Amino acid sequence: MTWIPSLILTLFYIPNALNKLLDPSQTGKIVESSAVMITAGVFILVGTALFLYNRTMLIGTSMLVLYMLSIVLIHIYKEKSSEVLILILTATLFAAYMRKRPLLPLEEGR
């Protein structure tokens, strides 16, 4: 049950990264450089891989949150709708919390 939010988010991040890698000359983006799109695609793929591996989950979460936060700020700057992006950002943090939530403190004397 704790992996379901992470897997659902993977279904968002992987196609997004592949889209940036396979079609780097996208138009209508804030930066129309293909090098920036390829770099963003690789960044998302690496972040997703680190996010899915338990030992590096916090690093991967940080990478994905950094990416989504920059996209949210770009959308706010361009006065575009950013509500869905904020939900994805929140869901990323929630999924990481679900998989890495702190253990309940053990009772003393056991």
Side-chain angles (χ1 to χ4, degrees), residues 16-79:
N16 188 2
L18 292 177
N19 185 27
K20 290 181 183 341
L21 288 173
L22 298 176
D23 186 21
S25 58
Q26 299 176 14
T27 58
K29 302 292 180 183
I30 193 159
V31 178
E32 294 188 15
S33 170
S34 60
V36 172
M37 287 296 173
I38 291 172
T39 304
V42 170
F43 187 80
I44 297 168
L45 280 179
V46 169
T48 304
L50 293 174
F51 174 71
L52 291 175
Y53 186 60
N54 274 336
R55 289 184 173 225
T56 59
M57 183 182 60
L58 296 178
I59 297 169
T61 302
S62 300
M63 290 175 71
L64 294 176
V65 166
L66 178 67
Y67 169 75
M68 287 306 295
L69 186 61
S70 64
I71 298 301
V72 167
L73 293 175
I74 289 169
H75 276 238
I76 290 172
Y77 175 75
K78 292 182 88 176
E79 297 178 356

Side-chain angles (χ1 to χ4, degrees), residues 74-86:
I74 289 169
H75 276 238
I76 290 172
Y77 175 75
K78 292 182 88 176
E79 297 178 356
K80 289 185 174 182
S81 174
S82 60
E83 291 84 8
V84 173
L85 299 173
I86 293 171

